[in-house]
Amino acid sequence: MTVQDTPPTGTTRRGDFAELHRRVSDAGLLRRRPLYYAGRSAALFTALALLLAGFVALGASWWQLCIAPLFAFVLGQLALLGHDVAHHAVFAGRRATDLAGIVLGNLVVGMSYGWWVSDHNRHHAHPNREGHDPAADSLLFARTTEQACRTRGLRRLAARYQAELFFPLLSLQALGLLVATCLTLTRGTVRYPALERTLAALHYALAVALLAVVLAPLQALAFAVLFGAVLGVYLGCIFAPNHKGMPMTGPDAERADFLRRQVLPSRNLRAGRFVHFLFGGLGYQIEHHLFPAMPVAALRPASRIVRDYCAQIGVPYSEASPVACLREILRDLRAVGRSLPGDPAQSGPPTRPSAPEPTRPTAPEPQAAPEAGAAVR
């Protein structure tokens, strides 16, 4: 039930990726960093304990709404820690990885670990491929004209104005995670259904009890709504820049080699250390897709090697500042929304909007290579 840490041996590591893998490995960037993750875990759980103590001490006060965003940030960071655990960046063994992932996901964050791993495996295997990558088939956003045309009623109205509704729609992400968790655990389609159900139920029972005991009913409702909205926007802003606004891939991508299949539909953030801290390291999305088990602390130095290597072999390496990235995403979402039939802003037949130009010089089209990919275990 864990996320594949590296591509399978064999054809995947031949050619361009094999050389890149050698360079990154020789730099010592694939080694696990237990001290880093021990310190990060201790800091996050200490912050969570302090927030809980402050929440109880403050009592039934509307000032609690100032604490809700802090809870959302810490829970978001703990979810990112669970993401690293699932990728075997923390533990090598499957049993330890699954146990830590279920505790972090179900008990601490309140999200089904098994459901998330299944979706995330498919995302890594087929990034930005409609019908295969769950992130490319989101209920909140239409990524292609074809997806937008399949919407109906309120969903079509939202698709038409999805660029303008970008942040309000992101605020629903936490609610979507809750619904997916409930449906998954009700159906029992995970490896450890009893354990996941027990820990998820305990998470929500403790959360409801804490809100009911400390806050007045209206305060509790306001706190829960604000917390969920901020958490949704926070997680959405972390994951949206990675692939939204980048080219969608089709069946031809399956014939491409592993390196190009992962690099071409991905985008890095060009930002400082503080922004990358907020993003849990996922601003280095290209490196993460190439080396999923790489510890977060190694992604920054790895990006220098990967960037230079992509320039050497003529593979576009896309990176943009957070502001430029947001503009690309909104431009792409707006183009899809306006391509819907009947939109007054539409001119000509509906087509998939062209992808934004990469921030680095383009290169010749990559040659097809033997089948390769990030298959799950």
Side-chain angles (χ1 to χ4, degrees), residues 40-51:
R40 180 176 167 187
S41 301
L44 287 174
F45 280 107
T46 299
L48 180 61
L50 290 174
L51 280 175

Side-chain angles (χ1 to χ4, degrees), residues 58-316:
L58 187 55
S61 168
W62 285 103
W63 287 105
Q64 294 279 17
L65 297 184
C66 297
I67 298 180
L70 299 178
F71 270 104
F73 171 74
V74 173
L75 264 293
Q77 284 286 313
L78 285 165
L80 291 171
L81 178 62
H83 167 272
D84 290 3
V85 167
H87 275 294
H88 287 274
V90 182
F91 303 105
R94 172 175 292 184
R95 186 181 297 273
T97 294
D98 284 348
L99 179 60
I102 291 172
V103 169
L104 278 169
N106 294 64
L107 179 61
V108 179
V109 179
M111 176 184 69
S112 169
Y113 172 78
W115 164 79
W116 178 85
V117 164
S118 176
D119 269 30
H120 203 61
N121 276 334
R122 288 185 286 148
H123 164 68
H124 270 266
H126 309 281
N128 257 23
R129 183 179 175 187
E130 185 178 359
H132 292 75
D133 176 5
D137 297 317
S138 167
L139 290 175
L140 296 178
F141 300 101
R143 299 286 303 281
T144 66
T145 296
E146 291 75 17
Q147 286 180 343
C149 288
R150 288 196 293 268
T151 59
R152 295 291 182 271
L154 185 61
R155 179 66 188 88
R156 170 162 289 210
L157 182 64
R160 191 182 301 278
Y161 298 104
Q162 60 184 355
E164 292 76 13
L165 295 173
F166 181 69
F167 289 106
L169 289 173
L170 285 185
S171 70
L172 301 176
Q173 289 239 117
L175 178 61
L177 294 177
L178 172 60
V179 172
T181 293
C182 292
L183 291 176
T184 300
L185 298 185
T186 299
R187 296 166 181 165
T189 55
V190 292
R191 185 186 294 272
Y192 307 104
L195 179 61
E196 288 212 28
R197 286 190 190 114
T198 301
L199 294 185
L202 182 58
H203 168 90
Y204 286 105
L206 290 173
V208 170
L210 193 61
L211 289 174
V213 169
V214 175
L215 300 180
L218 192 58
Q219 292 171 344
L221 178 61
F223 185 96
V225 170
L226 180 60
F227 165 79
V230 174
L231 180 61
V233 171
Y234 179 46
L235 293 178
C237 286
I238 289 173
F239 291 106
N242 301 338
H243 303 283
K244 283 184 172 56
M246 295 300 293
M248 297 288 283
T249 59
D252 290 345
E254 297 303 305
R255 295 193 294 272
D257 64 288
F258 175 78
L259 185 146
R260 288 168 176 81
R261 189 192 302 179
Q262 301 299 330
V263 172
L264 295 179
S266 304
R267 180 202 290 112
N268 277 13
L269 281 182
R270 190 188 299 116
R273 292 180 183 273
F274 178 70
V275 172
H276 283 293
F277 160 72
L278 295 178
F279 277 69
L282 293 185
Y284 296 109
Q285 188 67 193
I286 293 173
E287 289 69 33
H288 171 61
H289 264 257
L290 289 170
F291 306 100
M294 180 179 287
V296 164
L299 291 172
R300 186 180 185 90
S303 68
R304 305 186 190 104
I305 298 174
V306 175
R307 184 188 300 109
D308 292 344
Y309 184 71
C310 285
Q312 176 185 332
I313 64 175
V315 173

Side-chain angles (χ1 to χ4, degrees), residues 292-353:
M294 180 179 287
V296 164
L299 291 172
R300 186 180 185 90
S303 68
R304 305 186 190 104
I305 298 174
V306 175
R307 184 188 300 109
D308 292 344
Y309 184 71
C310 285
Q312 176 185 332
I313 64 175
V315 173
Y317 181 99
S318 296
E319 52 184 351
S321 70
V323 173
C325 183
L326 179 61
R327 287 173 179 166
E328 290 180 6
I329 293 171
L330 295 180
R331 181 168 59 244
D332 189 72
L333 293 176
R334 185 175 294 110
V336 171
R338 289 180 175 175
S339 69
L340 278 168
D343 193 305
Q346 180 188 354
S347 58
T351 57
R352 171 75 170 92

